[in-house]
Amino acid sequence: MVSAKGDKAHLEKPKRFAIPSKHESMRVMFHSCNGFSVGTDEDAWSGCALWNDVLRVHEEQPFHVMIGGGDQIYNDSVRVNGPLKPWTEISNPHKRRDYPFNEDMRQKCDEYYFNNYTKWYNTEPFASANGQIPQINIWDDHDIIDGFGSYTDHFMRCPVFRGIGGVAHKYYLLFQHHLPPPPSTYTTDAPQTEKNGGMDSVQLRDTYVLTQGEEDPCYIIGKKPGPYVEEKSRNIYCRLGKHMAFAGIDARTERTRHQINYPETYDLFFKTISDRLAASKGDIKHLMLLLGVPIAYPRLQWLENILQSPLIGPLRFLNKRFGIAGSFFNQFDGNVDLLDDLDDHYTAHQHKKERKELILRLQELAKKHSVRISILSGDVHLAAVGRFYSNAKQNIKAEHDWRYIPNVISSAITNKPPPTAVANLLAKRNKIHHLDAETDETLLEIFNQNPGVGEPGVKPKSAENNHATMPSRNYAIICESSHHNAEGAMSNGVNGHTNGDVEGYGDNAAFSPPKNPREPLHMGEKGAGTNHPAAQGINRTGLGGANGLDVTLRVEKNPSDNQGHTQGYGFSIPALESGAYKGQGEKW
């Protein structure tokens, strides 16, 4: 193993693997953005220091699985000091678009991606965590290259982008799913590779290719290849123990600027999940859905409008002619560099219809199976908790509200956070949005204080009035709030409290929802933050009823601390009991 600085690291403690009993669900660690953007001073951020905190928690209360929410590795340097550098430096966009991705370039990119994976996966302390906690991963753009799928369509279809999409997918399968990759990937030298399954005899020369048998049933494979990657989307559904299940949507393979997934992929995804929830015969109480990009998040459409307005035209002209404002525009399609990130968001104007349909289908799924759905997201390099919920007119308590869908946003575990001003601006944009006539959404004000406030050398991360977004590295912990045995839920076994009998937390029925929905909507959100019983992510709280979940956001205190010590913020999620509403039939 090598450390972030390249020196040998001695592993003093043995690796520890843990599995839950058959009566319990898995203890989950969730992370995203596990790497550094090009140009980041990695030493200033102490490398991947937060994985030290993950290992400390794992030692005290082991994780059964860790879920990677996208950008498990950053391959962006392929265009800076890798084989794409000569192509990136071509100033003429037409020549760059028509540049061939031949066998020689494919081999060089293949070597780059392999070496980058082996280097990063051997970097401590990430390597030690990766070597003892089983993982489930869904990729995002940096697993390929920054912004992949969100540039203009004619540029995304150029040979180089199609080529690196294939190479990145190959190593994504190999390292992140431990699956045999396709026999060959796209090159302009072999036109047959333009179609899914087309093989290149040159790539197969002197090469053994493992033939894949039947797909693991946990994968929900799309029906047709993506527009820019000659592969089908790889979505996931699997059980995480007795009462929890996980579903992940591959939101990168089929992505364009104007769609995230094909309609037929959504149909297949929801049918498969509905069938498997039905087959569980009520055992599954919680479904965790991974969407790499947040879906309950402040709107930035005003910024999109500015960046796409004619006002940018003169600046773009000066950039092309004289290189003025070079960092403001990306070197791929000449658009404003921030625009591909904004286009990625579900809240972007071109994705609004798809977003609404997705949420409504999730609500339908939750109500039909009486399963609480919680969404996990990353990408944005800060921590937050969004929620969809029935508005006050519906008069439905959260425990019975199938529209109550929290969105746990945890990003980044390694990459640097955005400037404080950006996080504060997002918090100011934390409006009460109306998805439809019944559903509202907003962020929970969970950050009652800055992490490590008052400790030596710790600087504030956000404004004192920003309680909704936290620009500091972080990861999340999700686990059942109560122990279970053959008879069902029991005392949490840590502090002697029974379910719901935690000091300061009374009966859920006595909880009165606030007038300001940014505040707690139910007993599990009461006192959300550093004083909540779930804040440390170690002991079970007993909150949320017999089948509740505890959620912890562990946030870095000081980026100069190479041990990655964190401050915990917690809240709990109640299970869903929607049986009382079955009489409404299929219309809700």
Side-chain angles (χ1 to χ4, degrees):
M1 298 293 180
V2 295
S3 71
K5 295 183 179 180
D7 55 329
K8 295 290 182 179
H10 178 62
L11 302 181
E12 297 178 354
K13 296 181 179 179
K15 289 181 171 60
R16 185 182 189 189
F17 299 89
I19 57 173
S21 81
K22 67 178 182 179
H23 304 297
E24 298 204 329
S25 301
M26 293 188 182
R27 182 172 153 80
V28 178
M29 176 266 183
F30 171 69
H31 68 94
S32 69
C33 302
N34 182 37
F36 289 103
S37 298
V38 172
T40 303
D41 185 348
E42 299 182 17
D43 289 336
W45 292 92
S46 305
C48 52
L50 255 65
W51 287 101
N52 284 316
D53 196 69
V54 173
L55 290 171
R56 281 192 296 271
V57 175
H58 182 62
E59 182 68 22
E60 187 171 357
Q61 194 67 261
F63 297 112
H64 302 116
V65 65
M66 62 182 186
I67 296 173
D71 303 336
Q72 281 69 250
I73 186 172
Y74 276 59
N75 287 313
D76 305 341
S77 61
V78 68
R79 67 175 175 84
V80 177
N81 50 28
L84 294 192
K85 183 179 180 181
W87 172 76
T88 307
E89 292 175 343
I90 298 174
S91 59
N92 187 308
H94 298 289
K95 290 182 178 180
R96 196 185 313 123
R97 191 167 63 236
D98 296 335
Y99 197 89
F101 190 83
N102 57 25
E103 175 60 16
D104 179 64
M105 180 174 276
R106 186 205 64 80
Q107 288 184 7
K108 290 176 180 176
C109 287
D110 198 282
E111 184 177 10
Y112 165 85
Y113 278 87
F114 174 78
N115 289 338
N116 201 39
Y117 262 103
T118 53
K119 176 184 176 182
W120 185 244
Y121 274 51
N122 276 288
T123 298
E124 291 291 358
F126 169 56
S128 288
N130 206 27
Q132 59 189 304
I133 307 172
Q135 58 186 281
I136 305 171
N137 297 310
I138 296 285
W139 70 346
D140 206 11
D141 59 334
H142 293 281
D143 296 284
I144 311 170
I145 194 171
D146 185 20
F148 190 95
S150 292
Y151 298 117
T152 54
D153 180 73
H154 68 275
F155 186 67
M156 282 301 312
R157 292 185 184 276
C158 78
V160 170
F161 262 104
R162 295 172 70 182
I164 61 171
V167 174
H169 181 266
K170 171 182 178 178
Y171 287 104
Y172 166 61
L173 291 186
L174 190 60
F175 279 86
Q176 298 195 38
H177 290 273
H178 309 150
L179 293 174
S184 54
T185 60
Y186 170 85
T187 72
T188 49
D189 289 347
Q192 66 271 25
T193 59
E194 292 184 10
K195 295 184 178 180
N196 177 250
M199 296 188 186
D200 178 10
S201 59
V202 174
Q203 296 179 48
L204 295 175
R205 189 180 301 149
D206 300 324
T207 302
Y208 170 75
V209 178
L210 177 63
T211 302
Q212 176 77 9
E214 289 187 14
E215 284 283 1
D216 189 307
C218 74
Y219 291 112
I220 305 170
I221 306 298
K223 294 185 177 181
K224 62 181 181 180
Y228 314 131
V229 181
E230 314 303 328
E231 302 293 340
K232 298 175 181 177
S233 64
R234 186 169 290 269
N235 311 281
I236 297 176
Y237 173 87
C238 60
R239 289 287 289 266
L240 298 181
K242 179 74 171 179
H243 301 296
M244 289 168 58
F246 168 80
I249 294 181
D250 177 352
R252 191 54 55 178
T253 302
E254 298 173 356
R255 178 183 289 271
T256 71
R257 250 188 166 168
H258 301 286
Q259 74 168 22
I260 298 171
N261 287 96
Y262 299 138
E264 52 266 43
T265 298
Y266 284 121
D267 292 342
L268 178 62
F269 184 79
F270 277 98
K271 182 183 185 305
T272 302
I273 292 176
S274 183
D275 290 346
R276 295 187 185 180
L277 289 176
S280 77
K281 298 180 179 179
D283 276 350
I284 296 175
K285 304 298 182 183
H286 288 270
L287 175 67
M288 286 190 292
L289 173 68
L290 174 57
L291 300 176
V293 179
I295 195 166
Y297 199 65
R299 308 297 191 268
L300 291 173
Q301 189 166 341
W302 59 274
L303 183 56
E304 292 179 63
N305 293 337
I306 292 174
L307 297 181
Q308 292 177 317
S309 75
L311 296 173
I312 299 296
L315 188 59
R316 182 180 286 110
F317 173 79
L318 292 173
N319 172 259
K320 286 184 177 180
R321 282 295 184 91
F322 308 109
I324 294 174
S327 61
F328 190 65
F329 298 93
N330 70 62
Q331 297 183 38
F332 288 147
D333 62 356
N335 278 315
V336 178
D337 194 41
L338 185 61
L339 200 55
D340 67 285
D341 292 312
L342 295 176
D343 284 342
D344 262 2
H345 285 214
Y346 281 94
T347 52
H349 71 277
Q350 65 266 36
H351 297 315
K352 287 179 68 175
K353 181 181 178 182
E354 184 175 352
R355 173 184 184 269
K356 182 177 180 179
E357 290 176 353
L358 173 57
I359 293 300
L360 293 178
R361 293 184 78 165
L362 290 173
Q363 292 177 354
E364 179 182 351
L365 187 72
K367 186 174 184 180
K368 180 178 180 180
H369 298 284
S370 197
V371 170
R372 174 70 68 206
I373 296 176
S374 301
I375 299 172
L376 306 177
S377 301
D379 183 72
V380 291
H381 297 187
L382 50 75
V385 177
R387 305 104 91 224
F388 296 94
Y389 52 91
S390 292
N391 60 36
K393 294 180 181 179
Q394 311 308 311
N395 193 28
I396 303 175
K397 287 187 174 292
E399 294 76 16
H400 306 293
D401 185 6
W402 63 94
R403 299 187 186 98
Y404 176 73
I405 301 177
N407 185 186
V408 178
I409 302 165
S410 179
S411 170
I413 193 169
T414 297
N415 208 351
K416 68 178 183 180
T420 298
V422 173
N424 293 338
L425 175 63
L426 286 167
K428 289 180 180 179
R429 300 291 302 172
N430 184 25
K431 311 295 184 182
I432 311 299
H433 294 284
H434 310 293
L435 182 77
D436 58 19
E438 293 83 28
T439 308
D440 286 353
E441 57 178 287
T442 192
L443 297 181
L444 170 66
E445 294 185 337
I446 188 174
F447 301 107
N448 57 306
Q449 65 178 51
N450 269 284
V453 62
E455 295 183 15
V458 175
K459 299 177 181 179
K461 307 297 188 299
S462 63
E464 290 186 2
N465 61 351
N466 176 5
H467 303 295
T469 59
M470 180 56 68
S472 187
R473 297 191 295 185
N474 61 89
Y475 66 95
I477 301 170
I478 304 101
C479 65
E480 288 181 310
S481 61
S482 299
H483 285 287
H484 292 79
N485 58 21
E487 284 72 43
M490 53 187 284
S491 164
N492 62 30
V494 176
N495 51 22
H497 293 296
T498 55
N499 297 315
D501 185 25
V502 180
E503 185 176 354
Y505 292 80
D507 186 0
N508 287 330
F511 183 85
S512 298
K515 292 183 179 179
N516 178 5
R518 300 175 186 85
E519 297 175 0
L521 294 174
H522 55 83
M523 190 63 73
E525 289 184 355
K526 179 183 177 182
T530 58
N531 298 318
H532 192 277
Q536 297 310 308
I538 303 295
N539 298 334
R540 305 190 193 214
T541 67
L543 294 171
N547 294 295
L549 288 185
D550 288 336
V551 178
T552 306
L553 288 166
R554 290 185 67 110
V555 180
E556 184 176 47
K557 298 178 182 179
N558 185 353
S560 298
D561 173 18
N562 61 15
Q563 293 305 305
H565 290 96
T566 61
Q567 175 91 60
Y569 301 81
F571 74 104
S572 297
I573 300 172
L576 175 63
E577 297 294 339
S578 64
Y581 300 92
K582 287 184 178 178
Q584 295 182 13
E586 294 299 314
K587 295 182 180 180
W588 48 73

